[in-house]
Amino acid sequence: MSTHDLYTIPTELSTWDVEAAGAARFTWEYDNGRDHMLALYQKGKDKQWDSVKRIDWDLEVDPYNVLGIPDETIAIHGTPLWERMDEKQRKEVRLHGASWQFSQFLHGEQGAMICSARIVESVPDLDSKFYAATQTMDEARHAETYARFLQEKVGLAYPINPHLKSLLDSTLSDSRWDMPYLGMQVLIEGLALAAFGVMRDITTKPLPKQILAYVMQDEARHVAFGRMALRDYYRQLSESELREREDFVIEGCYLMRDRLRGQETWENLGLNKAEVADAMESVDKSQYLQLFRSLLFSRIVPCVKDIGLWSPRLQQAYADMGVLDMAGQSLEALMRQDEDIAERLDTERFAAEEAERHAEVAETVALGGEPRP
């Protein structure tokens, strides 16, 4: 089945072409490079995995309850609009919400794949090219994984959100080599990583939990890569050059915040204009979604501070968004947690499979037969 058959909103059959500017940079310096960057590159090689083998695709998913979380997390829950809905309509709300969220994850991963390939092309340092090459493979695997999840388990997809598309356009069309880092590694990846984390921690369903945990294990390295490269580079920039990057960050953060409103899902549920307006008002007032939006900046704000973009006006922008207090988050601690959760899932899953295998062997031996190979 073509993915176009799954889209709720008609989307272009042609490709989306972003005109790229800037140079493809070769370097003839093949020395060992920076130790911290090469260590990350080694980790990127060591941690490659196959989504066909590592993820248990036999697990069932209810498309009308993808994450298995309470309805209280839905923005319109408890409102007159929700109370007027019958169970069939409420199931559609659940389906479309999950479909929209995972569709944006999918489109973001393709964007990350293209941005990381762009970094390989444009970054001047060979050690950065090495790591970005491993990230390109990571992002391809993530896009493959989310596409399969939507196609086989959800059965519904949404086109790319206009706000995400706008930020990707700005990121890829800029001629400066550091902008794919700033737009993708810091903003888009940082927000996605936090969103994955919230959903990973609240879902009660094993398949989405596996997918989110394993993808996060990779994404944590990607954000660390962006921090390392930009922190070194931004120390060399003038005040005017730093201000240009801060302008980009501020605009990008507002785009990412507005992307989370998901207006297209409500417009596609057969609601009239007044009901869509009511739904969007509920989205803006929802205490759960306000907390969710705040948590989504837990990876971005400390990263922006760490790379040296921390002027009073940038801090004021974060204060206006209500996320300035996220600057105190420890990115290293969050990264270690992401690694530990993915490894623990592996341990628990494969220990259970091994126990089943031992039980089968014992049963076969007791019956006097031969265990199957």
Side-chain angles (χ1 to χ4, degrees):
M1 177 184 292
S2 168
T3 305
H4 284 277
D5 296 328
L6 302 181
Y7 281 125
T8 56
I9 303 169
T11 188
E12 301 90 348
L13 290 173
S14 61
T15 59
W16 172 43
D17 297 338
V18 178
E19 293 297 326
R25 291 178 174 86
F26 287 78
T27 177
W28 311 126
E29 178 57 81
Y30 295 102
D31 68 345
N32 289 331
R34 294 162 289 184
D35 289 343
H36 60 286
M37 191 67 75
L38 291 172
L40 199 62
Y41 169 55
Q42 184 62 48
K43 195 169 190 178
K45 291 189 292 181
D46 292 340
K47 294 291 185 178
Q48 293 292 319
W49 50 276
D50 185 345
S51 68
V52 175
K53 297 177 180 178
R54 195 181 190 193
I55 293 171
D56 185 0
W57 291 104
D58 291 332
L59 290 167
E60 295 294 327
V61 172
D62 179 358
Y64 298 105
N65 190 20
V66 171
L67 295 176
I69 55 179
D71 285 342
E72 284 76 9
T73 60
I74 298 173
I76 65 169
H77 181 270
T79 66
L81 176 58
W82 177 262
E83 297 303 327
R84 289 197 302 271
M85 291 181 171
D86 58 25
E87 184 54 30
K88 182 180 178 181
Q89 291 172 307
R90 291 177 180 180
K91 287 174 70 174
E92 288 296 311
V93 169
R94 299 182 193 108
L95 169 63
H96 281 255
S99 168
W100 180 84
Q101 189 68 269
F102 280 93
S103 293
Q104 302 319 309
F105 291 167
L106 168 60
H107 301 315
E109 296 297 348
Q110 184 185 176
M113 179 177 67
I114 291 171
C115 284
S116 52
R118 180 73 184 279
I119 290 171
V120 174
E121 178 185 41
S122 62
V123 70
D125 305 307
L126 191 65
D127 51 7
S128 293
K129 290 180 185 291
F130 282 169
Y131 180 77
T134 69
Q135 181 177 341
T136 305
M137 182 60 208
D138 288 344
E139 306 298 4
R141 181 172 57 249
H142 300 168
E144 169 203 356
T145 301
Y146 282 126
R148 182 173 179 179
F149 184 71
L150 283 165
Q151 290 165 343
E152 295 184 7
K153 302 299 183 178
V154 180
L156 193 71
Y158 271 82
I160 188 170
N161 175 268
H163 299 97
L164 175 58
K165 191 173 184 180
S166 177
L167 183 53
L168 278 171
D169 195 359
S170 299
T171 297
L172 287 167
S173 60
D174 198 295
S175 62
R176 294 167 291 187
W177 68 260
D178 63 298
M179 298 312 283
Y181 280 101
L182 191 56
M184 178 52 67
Q185 310 289 90
V186 175
L187 299 183
I188 298 175
E189 293 269 41
L191 184 136
L193 190 55
F196 296 165
V198 172
M199 295 174 70
R200 175 200 64 191
D201 294 341
I202 65 175
T203 183
T204 59
K205 302 297 183 180
L207 182 55
K209 193 176 192 73
Q210 282 182 24
I211 291 171
L212 292 161
Y214 295 155
V215 168
M216 285 187 71
Q217 191 176 34
D218 295 337
E219 301 290 12
R221 294 195 308 275
H222 303 166
V223 174
F225 171 48
R227 288 171 60 208
M228 289 179 186
L230 295 182
R231 188 169 50 205
D232 291 345
Y233 179 58
Y234 284 177
R235 292 191 184 107
Q236 309 168 27
L237 297 188
S238 66
E239 287 189 19
S240 62
E241 289 172 322
L242 289 174
R243 186 179 180 88
E244 290 174 352
R245 272 73 176 177
E246 289 180 348
D247 288 340
F248 181 86
V249 167
I250 292 171
E251 181 182 357
C253 284
Y254 279 116
L255 283 171
M256 289 294 91
R257 184 197 63 178
D258 293 341
R259 177 181 81 80
L260 300 170
R261 301 177 77 232
Q263 183 168 339
E264 56 267 45
T265 60
W266 304 105
E267 293 172 340
N268 199 52
L269 281 166
L271 305 180
N272 60 42
K273 288 186 178 180
E275 288 173 328
V276 170
D278 289 343
M280 294 312 300
E281 184 179 354
S282 298
V283 166
D284 293 333
K285 291 182 177 179
S286 167
Q287 291 186 348
Y288 168 78
L289 290 180
Q290 287 175 6
L291 176 61
F292 182 68
R293 284 191 290 267
S294 176
L295 290 173
L296 292 188
F297 283 87
S298 63
R299 311 277 181 140
I300 293 177
V301 177
C303 187
V304 169
K305 181 180 180 181
D306 183 70
I307 63 178
L309 301 179
W310 202 240
S311 68
R313 69 193 190 92
L314 184 55
Q315 294 179 51
Q316 185 59 53
Y318 283 142
D320 294 341
M321 293 181 206
V323 297
L324 182 60
D325 58 344
M326 292 295 173
Q329 291 285 329
S330 169
L331 292 171
E332 286 77 11
L334 290 170
M335 183 175 173
R336 285 195 301 271
Q337 181 186 61
D338 296 337
E339 291 271 1
D340 291 344
I341 289 174
E343 290 173 1
R344 187 164 64 247
L345 270 180
D346 274 342
T347 300
E348 292 170 355
R349 177 183 161 200
F350 294 120
E353 291 180 0
E354 187 66 19
E356 289 176 6
R357 171 65 178 151
H358 284 310
E360 180 189 84
V361 170
E363 182 181 357
T364 304
V365 171
L367 292 173
E370 293 291 332
R372 63 177 174 82

